[in-house]
Amino acid sequence: METALKKSEFSWEEYFSDKKKGGHRFSTEEFLVKEAKEKLFHLSGGKTLLDFGCGAGELLIYYAPNYEKVVGADFSKSMLFEAEKRVMQHKYGNVDLVLADDRTVWGGLNQKYDRITATAVVQYFTPEQLENFIQNASIYLSESGKIVFFDIIDPKLYSLWKIGWFSPNFISWNIFIRACMDCVKRISAFLKNQPCDIIGNSYSPHIIEEIARRNGFQTEYVKSMYYEYRYHVILSKIV
């Protein structure tokens, strides 16, 4: 029997086991088209693409026409089922979908990729997992290939976003109310054995850069166009 001192371990795999939509700000096709165009600009070419954490394929279906080969990977069966429906609806013959996590995805690959990308995925990695992902990705990256992490949470900007700083109707005295609500959420998460913030982990750019440089990559940072508290990082091999 579980007690307050002994609880079942929280699992992101379990959390996403029945989810059918990605965490995009809006789920309209109009918005997803805009978001995909932004990300395609930063992916900047290539012929083959590995989209890790592709989720329900909301962005993948807009990537596909721009690449000869696309592989979408995710550990959520329910998400991949939705992605498969989207791929079939568009009749894409250049897309493969793989059920895998950050440890198992590499064993199912049989070629190198010009671009390896992950959108709003880094937040679910520990620093060790992130470094392992970069190390494994480098093995399956083409000579001039790039790793592109989209929508990483910036801890400073996220703190401001949570208190409504970016809202056009921001009122300073609301900070106290929001801070109290945040404390209540943290206590509730602790009692439920969940992360303090279900959105996952945040990473300062310097942490990403340290990990990247240890593994032979240089970094380029870009502010996210549609999420005030997120940024993108483009990793290319140091030559």
Side-chain angles (χ1 to χ4, degrees), residues 34-99:
K34 291 179 180 179
E35 187 175 338
K37 284 182 178 179
E38 178 211 5
K39 289 171 169 57
L40 280 167
F41 176 81
H42 295 304
L43 285 170
S44 184
K47 295 182 179 180
T48 52
L49 172 73
L50 169 62
D51 183 11
F52 179 78
C54 67
E58 291 105 325
L59 298 177
L60 180 144
I61 59 171
Y62 296 110
Y63 295 161
N66 298 274
Y67 290 89
E68 294 179 3
K69 181 67 176 179
V70 175
V71 173
D74 204 285
F75 60 47
S76 170
K77 289 183 180 179
S78 59
M79 287 284 207
L80 275 186
F81 181 70
E82 296 301 316
E84 184 178 19
K85 290 195 293 185
R86 284 186 167 90
V87 170
M88 292 179 65
Q89 181 181 1
H90 287 79
K91 298 180 180 180
Y92 290 140
N94 62 330
V95 176
D96 288 335
L97 298 174
V98 180
L99 180 66

Side-chain angles (χ1 to χ4, degrees), residues 47-211:
K47 295 182 179 180
T48 52
L49 172 73
L50 169 62
D51 183 11
F52 179 78
C54 67
E58 291 105 325
L59 298 177
L60 180 144
I61 59 171
Y62 296 110
Y63 295 161
N66 298 274
Y67 290 89
E68 294 179 3
K69 181 67 176 179
V70 175
V71 173
D74 204 285
F75 60 47
S76 170
K77 289 183 180 179
S78 59
M79 287 284 207
L80 275 186
F81 181 70
E82 296 301 316
E84 184 178 19
K85 290 195 293 185
R86 284 186 167 90
V87 170
M88 292 179 65
Q89 181 181 1
H90 287 79
K91 298 180 180 180
Y92 290 140
N94 62 330
V95 176
D96 288 335
L97 298 174
V98 180
L99 180 66
D101 60 21
D102 57 294
R103 297 161 298 179
T104 60
V105 63
W106 315 108
L109 303 180
N110 55 15
Q111 68 175 85
K112 294 195 173 187
Y113 294 84
D114 298 325
R115 300 291 182 270
I116 296 178
T117 186
T119 299
V121 168
V122 171
Q123 63 204 53
Y124 303 117
F125 284 164
T126 64
E128 292 76 17
Q129 285 178 302
L130 176 57
E131 183 149 18
N132 287 336
F133 185 92
I134 292 174
Q135 289 172 351
N136 285 317
S138 67
I139 298 172
Y140 291 92
L141 202 61
S142 63
E143 186 174 350
S144 59
K146 297 179 180 179
I147 303 171
V148 186
F149 293 121
F150 288 120
D151 296 326
I152 300 172
I153 300 172
D154 184 307
K156 294 180 180 178
L157 294 179
Y158 184 53
S159 296
L160 292 174
W161 181 81
K162 287 176 71 176
I163 63 172
W165 183 266
F166 299 105
S167 171
N169 302 316
F170 175 74
I171 302 175
S172 58
W173 58 264
N174 276 345
I175 294 177
F176 177 75
I177 296 175
R178 290 175 181 267
C180 290
M181 292 175 63
D182 187 55
C183 287
V184 172
K185 289 181 180 179
R186 287 176 178 274
I187 293 172
S188 176
F190 173 77
L191 295 175
K192 294 178 181 179
N193 197 36
Q194 293 181 346
C196 291
D197 197 327
I198 206 67
I199 202 170
N201 302 311
S202 58
Y203 284 93
S204 295
H206 74 87
I207 295 177
I208 305 293
E209 184 162 3
E210 287 175 2
I211 295 174

Side-chain angles (χ1 to χ4, degrees), residues 6 11 16 22 45 120 131 197 205 214 234:
K6 186 178 181 181
S11 164
F16 282 104
E131 183 149 18
D197 197 327
R214 275 203 302 270
I234 302 166

